[in-house]
Structure formats: C-alpha cells, structure tokens
Amino acid sequence: MDLISTGGNYMCTGMGMSASTDLVWEENPSLTHDEVSGFVNDYLGNPLYDGLNDPLGEYIKHIDCWSKYLAPNKILIGQVSSNDDRYQDYEDLANYFSTLTSSYGTPFKVYRVFTPGNYPYTPYSNSLILNNKVFVPLTGGQYDDEAIAAYEEAMPGYEIVGIDYNGWENTDALHCRTKGIADIGMLYIDHMPTLGTVVYQSEYDISAKVTAASGSNIYADSVLVYFKINSGEYTVATMILESEDTYTGTIAGVMPNDTISYYVYAADESGRQSKQPFIGEADPFVFKNIQFPVTELAFNPDL
C-alpha cells in the first residue's frame, strides 16, 4: 500500500480502530497525516487511526513497547513511578484513552502495568495473545508477579503464561520476536454488543453477522446466544437466520432492574467454533436494564 510501517508500531482492535506512535509520520515524510490514515483505512479497514507521542524515550518508538489492545474495548498501558521524567507522558496517554469511545461504543477500559524499565527489564506490554492464551515476557525481576496479575485482572478466562528469559529487553521482547498467523478459514462473528444501562424490556433481540471464511456451511442449529439473568445459570436461545448471513436470537424472561450477561456462539462444518466475546462465559457482555416510572397524566382541556 506504499506505506512504510513497522509491525511493532501497529496495533488494532479488530473492529475499525488502530494506533501507532508518531514514528509512522517520520517514516513517511512524503505523505500527509491524512494520506497515511487513508492507507490504513483503505487497505486495513481501520478508519480511526491514532498517531501518538511515544513516552518510552528509547530509540525504537514502537507502540508495542508500552501499550497493547487486549480487546475491542480494553487497552493495557505501561506505568512508571511519579519521579520518573516520563511519568506525565504515560499518564497523559492513559487519560487520553480513557476519554476515547471504544469499538463497542463504550469508553475504553484502561489497565496499567508497572514498567519502570530498569534492569532486570520490564517489557510486559510486549506480550503475545494467541487464541485463549497470553504469553507475557518475564525477566526474573521484582515486578513480574504484578505483571501477571495485571493481565489476569484484564483478561479473565485466558491462560496467562509467563515466559522467563534473561534476553528480553524493554525494546525487544516477545511480541517483537513472533508473528501471528491468521486463520484464513476463520469463523467470524460480527456483533455490536448491548452494554451498560438500557431501558427495560421483557425481551431483547441479539443480532450477529456470522461468516465462515472457509466456505463451509454454518450449522443452522448451532448459532446460539447464551445468557444468564443476574446470578442465575446460563441458558441458551437459538439464533434464527434473518438474512443472508445475519442471525437473531432473543433474551427472554427479563424483569425490571435485572442484569444480563451474554455471549454469542457459532459452529460450522469445517469443525471451527467461535464465540463473541472471544473468551465467552468468563468475560461476557453485560448490561443492566432500568424501568423508568410511568406517572399518570391529568389533562383538562379548555371548554
């Protein structure tokens, strides 16, 4: 796409948002910022592209050295002590993301991991998410356990695996040295979740676009919405094909002021199964309804 960009300096939510440090502007001096963003939109499908100041203060200026999208609505950002010259730069970035609207239409959930950068190094954002596992570079330092705890808090249901090695650096760790390989036959569930507080209804329709990139048939009885009300057990509703690739299911039996947790599931004839959110029951979509009071209106027209 005629754009110079380094893999370690690019991350995306998977739902239309991406970010790099301002290195991308430096690497493409003949292009305007709008032209760079245009490439990212046209070729990579991310119309919202952030070019951010780099707080690390190293030679490399790669975004994976200090932050990482963990989900379409979650981001992990490094943190340094308040007496560090870089402290305000890190805090400004954390505050910035907290004000952004995520790919789910809700504010980002910003998680922090302490990365002072002293030896033994703390390259904890330079991790690798692979299916339901998260591999975190550890160096034997005093902050390793805190880093694992930060990922466990942010990513419930995932297996957090520490990778001990004395050769990691703040500017060169696990994400820098690996390459994810996409499943070109993936079973993809595209769903904009219901989250937060909503107006009370006794039923809520849940719709999702399901695409089998393998070309395999999707099992008609295996597109499902799993849901629970308050602290009850999960139940399941079959989602019905409404159009060429869009399925709709109904969450029923809802009472005023209930909290609903749910996720979408699908399976196809290639043997693939998929959930949205990816980890399913361990970290579902959650919304709460509110029933607004109805007051009687007395109307006395003039005679």
Side-chain angles (χ1 to χ4, degrees):
M1 56 179 173
D2 291 333
L3 182 70
I4 298 172
S5 183
T6 309
N9 192 35
Y10 181 81
M11 64 180 184
C12 65
T13 65
M15 292 184 68
M17 299 181 70
S18 58
S20 299
T21 72
D22 53 8
L23 175 66
V24 71
W25 314 136
E26 298 171 15
E27 291 175 324
N28 296 276
S30 65
L31 299 176
T32 67
H33 293 185
D34 286 343
E35 286 172 333
V36 172
S37 297
F39 279 127
V40 173
N41 183 18
D42 294 343
Y43 286 84
L44 305 178
N46 291 304
L48 300 175
Y49 182 49
D50 257 325
L52 304 166
N53 292 329
D54 177 68
L56 191 66
E58 295 275 3
Y59 65 93
I60 199 165
K61 299 188 75 172
H62 288 182
I63 201 166
D64 65 358
C65 294
W66 56 268
S67 70
K68 189 177 191 70
Y69 286 132
L70 305 179
N73 64 334
K74 297 179 181 180
I75 188 169
L76 181 76
I77 295 179
Q79 189 172 36
V80 298
S81 60
S82 58
N83 61 358
D84 190 307
D85 291 343
R86 305 167 299 165
Y87 174 78
Q88 197 57 52
D89 293 333
Y90 275 95
E91 296 310 298
D92 287 346
L93 284 161
N95 292 334
Y96 170 72
F97 276 101
S98 71
T99 66
L100 288 186
T101 300
S102 74
S103 297
Y104 286 159
T106 57
F108 267 100
K109 297 178 182 179
V110 179
Y111 297 88
R112 309 300 299 275
V113 60
F114 193 57
T115 54
N118 305 318
Y119 186 84
Y121 298 125
T122 54
Y124 304 128
S125 68
N126 208 292
S127 61
L128 175 68
I129 301 172
L130 182 63
N131 300 325
N132 63 349
K133 293 179 172 62
V134 185
F135 298 95
V136 182
L138 304 179
T139 59
Q142 61 178 313
Y143 305 113
D144 284 358
D145 289 344
E146 293 178 23
I148 294 294
Y151 278 95
E152 289 175 341
E153 177 190 1
M155 305 183 75
Y158 287 82
E159 181 183 354
I160 311 301
V161 182
I163 304 298
D164 293 286
Y165 176 53
N166 63 7
W168 301 134
E169 299 178 17
N170 291 323
T171 56
D172 179 18
L174 190 56
H175 185 260
C176 289
R177 305 190 194 193
T178 57
K179 177 64 178 175
I181 300 176
D183 175 10
I184 61 173
M186 71 180 296
L187 178 61
Y188 179 62
I189 301 173
D190 184 4
H191 171 64
M192 180 59 73
T194 299
L195 296 168
T197 302
V198 301
V199 176
Y200 168 70
Q201 300 171 197
S202 60
E203 297 182 346
Y204 294 90
D205 287 337
I206 302 297
S207 294
K209 181 178 179 181
V210 184
T211 304
S214 66
S216 301
N217 292 324
I218 296 168
Y219 289 116
D221 60 351
S222 295
V223 183
L224 309 168
V225 55
Y226 286 84
F227 68 93
K228 72 174 183 178
I229 298 175
N230 300 319
S231 58
E233 298 294 323
Y234 271 91
T235 189
V236 62
T238 300
M239 300 178 73
I240 306 301
L241 184 62
E242 299 285 353
S243 63
E244 181 180 356
D245 53 11
T246 299
Y247 295 76
T248 300
T250 301
I251 295 175
V254 181
M255 299 298 290
N257 302 311
D258 279 345
T259 296
I260 295 90
S261 306
Y262 78 97
Y263 63 95
V264 178
Y265 170 90
D268 68 22
E269 292 181 0
S270 75
R272 289 175 173 83
Q273 304 174 38
S274 186
K275 299 173 186 175
Q276 185 62 271
F278 181 83
I279 207 64
E281 183 176 328
D283 192 19
F285 299 125
V286 179
F287 67 93
K288 179 181 176 63
N289 76 71
I290 292 181
Q291 185 178 37
F292 293 97
V294 178
T295 57
E296 184 175 334
L297 178 65
F299 181 54
N300 298 306
D302 295 334
L303 300 177

